[in-house]
Amino acid sequence: MVIDFHSHFVPRQFVADDAPARHAHWRLFGEPMYDMEKRLALMDEAGVDIAVLSSGAGTEGNLDDCRLVNDSAKALCERYPGRFLGMAHVPPLSVAEGMAELKRAREELGFR
């Protein structure tokens, strides 16, 4: 089994036409970052069985963005069972919020 442990993604909400301006730069990374059908085709071509999803969009320190990244990763794990695992994202400079989000990701979203 081949596992890609460093697989970045961008939640579709961050590249939508009505996304906040602060997220506009995420479109530059290309469709395989947010189009999981294209991502799966690339994974299959490369022989990758499972990708552990992480997102640079979840490292900018905003709790709402981190929660959206975590919820999006969970939705992708459910939509494509056995192909993706989620990695929790927390606001790096907010200890209390970060710990609460880490707990939510573990207990509510089922991240390992």
Side-chain angles (χ1 to χ4, degrees):
M1 176 176 291
V2 177
I3 300 171
D4 179 353
F5 188 74
H6 194 103
S7 187
H8 290 278
F9 85 107
V10 175
R12 277 199 175 269
Q13 296 92 319
F14 286 10
V15 296
D17 290 339
D18 62 346
R22 73 179 190 277
H23 293 305
H25 64 284
W26 294 112
R27 290 188 188 104
L28 301 174
F29 289 89
E31 288 183 340
M33 292 291 280
Y34 54 86
D35 184 326
M36 291 301 118
E37 296 297 329
K38 290 183 180 181
R39 170 71 63 90
L40 287 168
L42 291 171
M43 288 170 57
D44 290 343
E45 183 179 323
V48 174
D49 299 302
I50 298 173
V52 179
L53 298 175
S54 64
S55 178
T59 63
E60 296 178 335
N62 177 309
L63 178 61
D64 291 335
D65 285 353
C66 290
R67 289 180 64 90
L68 193 147
V69 166
N70 293 335
D71 291 342
S72 296
K74 174 64 174 178
L76 291 170
C77 293
E78 290 176 346
R79 183 171 178 188
Y80 305 101
R83 297 305 306 269
F84 297 116
L85 295 173
M87 181 183 297
H89 291 74
V90 300
L93 301 177
S94 181
V95 176
E97 288 179 341
M99 293 305 293
E101 181 58 11
L102 189 60
K103 182 177 180 180
R104 184 184 83 89
R106 173 68 182 121
E107 293 179 1
E108 293 178 29
L109 303 180
F111 290 178
R112 297 180 199 179

